[in-house]
């Protein structure tokens, strides 16, 4: 009879790189606003921003939202995306046992240090994804 017990080593690291740690911190901290009197936010959509030679491209996952429920503001070098997603009355009427989809307001704000030409911003909303082209000045 063996008294040895196999040991499992957990090789998974919570954040394998500092870049992933920074992304997690950005997600947590980007929900804060400069106005402390604002109501707490309900959820936070995933957003990617990448840079091309002449513009920044912002892509936001906004499933279940309508174009009318989304607000995009560009002021100087800051872009702010906000909106609201509400639970439909159908959820209360149809006897849902579990509801995991988030709802409520959100606001995400990003500073793009190279600046933005606010007069040439172009946005498309298709299949729950908002794509915004933010031209550089």
């Amino acid at each position: 009879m063996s008294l040895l017990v196999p040991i499992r080593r957990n090789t998974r690291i919570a954040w394998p790189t500092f870049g992933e740690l920074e992304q997690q911190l950005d997600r947590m901290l980007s929900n804060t606003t400069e106005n402390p009197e604002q109501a707490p936010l309900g959820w936070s959509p995933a957003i990617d921003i990448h840079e091309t030679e002449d513009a920044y491209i912002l892509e936001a996952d906004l499933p279940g939202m309508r174009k009318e429920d989304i607000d995009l503001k560009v002021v100087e070098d800051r872009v702010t995306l906000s909106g609201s997603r509400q639970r439909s009355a159908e959820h209360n009427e149809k006897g849902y046992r579990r509801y995991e989809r988030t709802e409520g307001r959100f606001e995400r704000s990003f500073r793009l240090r190279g600046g933005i030409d606010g007069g040439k911003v172009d946005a498309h909303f298709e299949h729950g994804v908002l794509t915004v082209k933010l031209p550089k000045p």
Side-chain angles (χ1 to χ4, degrees):
M1 180 157 121
S2 174
L3 296 175
L4 298 176
V5 176
I7 297 176
R8 265 194 192 163
R9 292 188 183 212
N10 186 358
T11 58
R12 184 171 180 245
I13 300 172
W15 293 288
T17 65
F18 284 110
E20 289 180 27
L21 175 60
E22 182 180 22
Q23 288 175 352
Q24 292 293 330
L25 288 171
D26 283 347
R27 276 193 170 207
M28 289 187 309
L29 299 176
S30 68
N31 286 332
T32 60
T33 61
E34 294 176 13
N35 182 357
E37 296 178 15
Q38 279 189 320
L41 303 174
W43 64 289
S44 182
I47 294 178
D48 294 335
I49 300 175
H50 68 273
E51 184 175 2
T52 65
E53 192 173 310
D54 61 343
Y56 299 98
I57 309 298
L58 179 147
E59 294 174 304
D61 289 342
L62 301 169
M65 294 195 66
R66 299 174 306 158
K67 191 186 306 187
E68 300 82 31
D69 298 328
I70 302 166
D71 186 40
L72 179 72
K73 292 181 185 171
V74 177
V75 178
E76 296 177 5
D77 63 348
R78 183 172 298 276
V79 58
T80 301
L81 179 64
S82 61
S84 181
R85 181 168 65 188
Q86 301 302 320
R87 180 185 298 191
S88 71
E90 173 182 305
H91 291 105
N92 295 329
E93 298 170 3
K94 292 199 175 181
Y96 275 70
R97 302 273 179 148
R98 185 175 187 97
Y99 189 81
E100 293 184 354
R101 292 181 286 166
T102 54
E103 60 188 37
R105 296 187 330 94
F106 73 88
E107 182 174 300
R108 303 284 310 270
S109 188
F110 304 93
R111 183 172 177 214
L112 301 172
R113 296 186 192 272
I116 302 166
D117 186 349
K120 297 180 182 175
V121 172
D122 183 40
H124 313 305
F125 186 62
E126 187 174 359
H127 303 297
V129 177
L130 175 67
T131 303
V132 183
K133 182 176 182 181
L134 303 155
K136 295 177 182 177

